[in-house]
Amino acid sequence: MREYPVKKGLKTSVEAVLEIVKKYAQGPEVEGNTVIFSMPGIKKIRIECGKKTLDVETETDPSYEDPAKSLKMYNNMITELTGFDSKERKKRMSKV
């Protein structure tokens, strides 16, 4: 499970996360404060909504033929959810 910090001003509520996830996946489900869905190349994604962070757990689909495409889609979604691009997230993770 990865913990992603969220930029100030962005909402981490289930409703806000669900709105963004619907752009990338069809039929996301909500269980409490967790959004569960799948994307091409990723069997299952669980996003647990916190106050200032999002905890994300993924399960990849090894049979998917274009992993680069799924990685790009996943990174775009995480960027939209957190407000930080992959370089900024890497920089923040290395500080910890």
Side-chain angles (χ1 to χ4, degrees):
M1 183 175 291
R2 281 205 175 143
E3 184 179 290
Y4 292 104
V6 177
K7 228 177 212 182
K8 277 187 179 178
L10 291 179
K11 296 179 181 177
T12 59
S13 67
V14 172
E15 295 80 19
V17 170
L18 193 57
E19 188 177 318
I20 293 171
V21 164
K22 284 181 181 177
K23 296 177 189 177
Y24 296 92
Q26 292 181 342
E29 299 175 11
V30 176
E31 291 180 7
N33 68 334
T34 305
V35 179
I36 303 168
F37 60 99
S38 63
M39 295 169 59
I42 305 175
K43 284 183 185 178
K44 190 176 194 179
I45 302 174
R46 295 173 51 90
I47 300 178
E48 192 174 319
C49 306
K51 290 189 178 188
K52 297 179 183 178
T53 62
L54 296 173
D55 294 328
V56 180
E57 185 178 340
T58 60
E59 184 181 324
T60 59
D61 182 2
S63 65
Y64 189 65
E65 62 276 348
D66 193 1
K69 181 180 177 184
S70 60
L71 180 61
K72 184 173 181 160
M73 195 179 342
Y74 174 80
N75 278 333
N76 289 340
M77 180 190 66
I78 295 296
T79 298
E80 196 171 341
L81 286 168
T82 64
F84 297 111
D85 65 18
S86 59
K87 287 182 183 179
E88 291 171 315
R89 290 194 304 269
K90 183 179 178 184
K91 192 182 290 185
R92 286 178 161 273
M93 292 292 195
S94 66
K95 286 182 181 179
V96 173

